[in-house]
Structure formats: C-alpha cells, structure tokens
Amino acid sequence: MALIEATTAAAATVRAECRVPCVGATAYWAPDTNASRWLPPSWIAPRTVSLALGAPVASLVGADDRALCTAAVGETSAPVRVGAGVVEESGEFAFTVEQDLTPDGPPLRLRIDLSGRHFAATLQAVSAWWAEGLHHPGVAPAARMPAYSTWYSLHQNVDSAAVERQPALAAAVGCESIIVDDGWQTTDRARGYGHCGDWEPNPAAFPDPAAHVAEVHRLGLAYLLWYALRFIGRHNDAWDRFKGMTLREEPHLDAACSTPATPRSAPTWSRRSPAPSSSGTWTV
C-alpha cells in the first residue's frame, strides 16, 4: 500500500502518475455505468469526476478477480481528472490524476493498493479511506429490503386505495417494502420533473397520509417514497424559493438541478420523522 500526497506553494494544476507492469491483466474496473471492462489505452481522454459524477477510483483486475492495482484519489467533492490505460511502448498500465491545488486547499492524495486481494475488497478499503473522519448517518434498514415499486404497474396513477392493494401481492412474492413512485406529489400525469421540489402529498389522492402509511405497515411492509432530490420543478413554490441557488436549468425536463449544499426539507407524512435512505426514497 502506498499513499502519495502533494501540496503546492502557489495555485497550480498538479499531475501524478503511477505505473505497474501490465502482466496477467484480464479487466479494467471503473465506477462509470457505461464503461467498457476491456483494457483501455493510455492515450484516451481522462474522465472528470466529482461529488455529482462518478468517483475517483479504478482497478486493474487479474485472474480470480484479484486486483493487480487499485488506485484512488482522496478528493471526492471537487472535480478531478483521472485516467488509466495501457502504455503500449512499455507494456505498463498507468493511473493518472490531475487536481487543481491552492496553498490553503486540500492536497492531492493518491492511494495505491498492490495487496493482490479480491478487487471488491480493495474497493471496500477505498470507501473506508474516504470515510475517515466523516460522520455518516447510516442506511435505513428498509433500503436493503426486497422492494416492490408502484411504478411497475401503476406508473404515476397512484392513490391511497391503489397503493393499499399492492402490499399483500408484493409480500406473497417475497417483498418486504413498497416504494410509492412518482405521482404521489402531483395531479399532473405528464411525467417530467416540473412538479418536483415541494414534496407535499397530493391531497386528492392521499387525503389522510398518516392513516394510509399505517395501513401499509399493518399489512407488513415498510413504506418508502420516491423523490428526485436534485430537481426543482418550475411548477412549484420551491422554484422561487431556491432561485439563484441551483446549478443549472434543464428546460427539456422543466426543472433545474439543485446543489447538495442547499438545505432541503423532507415531507411530513406521518407522526414519525422520515429518515432518508440511500435508494432515492424517504422511509415513513
């Protein structure tokens, strides 16, 4: 294991690179959902990652899914540019990172894992490294339960009666929670995100939310609400309330992208306080 740390006395873009022999490599893993698992060449353009886009980690994988090298960058919020690929001239595999540094800002930190463990174990160690010194509230238990989503059969056409017909059916096939998907917060059925942001239940469809949630609990399922946290819809009070505090507008979605730095409030659906889960839902 190696940790490289770099600081600067003046504002500068700092680049670090590590190379390992590209021998016995069978795959390249990166967190991008559309990434190829083939070994890329070193000359492809680096990817920019940040808090809202990917993660600064990659792994060169060999036989038995063991990591020949897993490299990770310590900066997980501000944008950094990371690259990886085969250096054809030398037969090596290179990991690179570029980070903009200032004298009073965080350093460039590059963690290199050559332990030869299963690549998933090296990624778990990276996650723990990123979490050092940070407090995480944890994950709501319902987020890890087998779930049924109302989108499968109801799409936006949800109301108390329709939702309450689902738990017994879902439980019979092994589900332990139900996710009430898009539509609970609006009467609009045109899709899109123009009605996201206020997160108040549609009173026509859910006239007594607390009693409705209690009924689903009585039927044996945990209850979760879908939400699109980053979107502020144009047709909401939140549009004016968060004006000037969004990252950018998305006209084709009829919404703007909010920033994680802006405080938000959760819907008040029952007497119990909703707990945010990691699955894009609130547990109530």
Side-chain angles (χ1 to χ4, degrees):
M1 196 77 63
L3 180 63
I4 299 170
E5 187 168 299
T7 59
T8 181
T13 298
V14 177
R15 184 179 189 274
E17 176 177 323
C18 83
R19 295 188 182 189
V20 296
C22 191
V23 178
T26 59
Y28 165 70
W29 182 93
D32 309 58
T33 56
N34 61 346
S36 167
R37 302 312 177 203
W38 297 108
L39 304 185
S42 61
W43 42 261
I44 63 171
R47 56 192 175 96
T48 299
V49 298
S50 66
L51 177 66
L53 182 65
V57 60
S59 185
L60 180 65
V61 184
D64 299 321
D65 285 343
R66 296 192 174 275
L68 303 177
C69 180
T70 295
V73 182
E75 177 56 65
T76 57
S77 297
V80 294
R81 293 164 295 283
V82 293
V86 178
V87 182
E88 299 172 41
E89 292 80 2
S90 65
E92 298 171 302
F93 196 89
F95 295 88
T96 63
V97 56
E98 290 184 2
Q99 184 174 330
D100 298 327
L101 301 184
T102 58
D104 57 347
L108 182 153
R109 300 171 69 216
L110 178 61
R111 184 182 188 275
I112 304 166
D113 187 337
L114 299 168
S115 64
R117 296 175 292 169
H118 191 283
F119 85 96
T122 66
L123 296 173
Q124 186 177 40
V126 168
S127 180
W129 178 58
W130 284 334
E132 289 176 0
L134 300 176
H135 170 70
H136 191 283
V139 176
R144 300 193 184 279
M145 295 176 179
Y148 168 80
S149 172
T150 58
W151 191 264
Y152 302 153
S153 56
L154 300 175
H155 300 284
Q156 287 184 306
N157 300 310
V158 291
D159 57 35
S160 293
V163 172
E164 289 169 19
R165 286 194 293 269
Q166 308 301 311
L169 301 172
V173 294
C175 293
E176 299 175 11
S177 64
I178 185 169
I179 301 172
V180 179
D181 213 295
D182 189 14
W184 62 266
Q185 81 289 1
T186 178
T187 58
D188 182 82
R189 295 295 180 257
R191 299 198 183 183
Y193 296 91
H195 294 272
C196 294
D198 289 345
W199 303 119
E200 295 292 339
N202 169 16
F206 298 93
D208 190 345
H212 163 63
V213 172
E215 175 62 13
V216 173
H217 286 167
R218 186 190 68 78
L219 294 169
L221 267 66
Y223 192 109
L224 299 100
L225 286 173
W226 167 90
Y227 67 96
L229 183 61
R230 69 179 180 140
F231 290 124
I232 302 291
R234 184 177 291 276
H235 309 299
N236 288 271
D237 292 338
W239 182 265
D240 292 327
R241 189 164 72 252
F242 290 99
K243 191 173 184 178
M245 294 185 285
T246 56
L247 297 176
R248 67 177 184 271
E249 286 193 37
E250 297 286 359
H252 66 293
L253 298 176
D254 212 14
C257 293
S258 62
T259 166
T262 302
R264 303 291 295 276
S265 60
T268 52
W269 264 58
S270 69
R271 292 183 179 87
R272 293 184 296 166
S273 298
S277 80
S278 63
S279 59
T281 57
W282 270 299
T283 303
V284 291

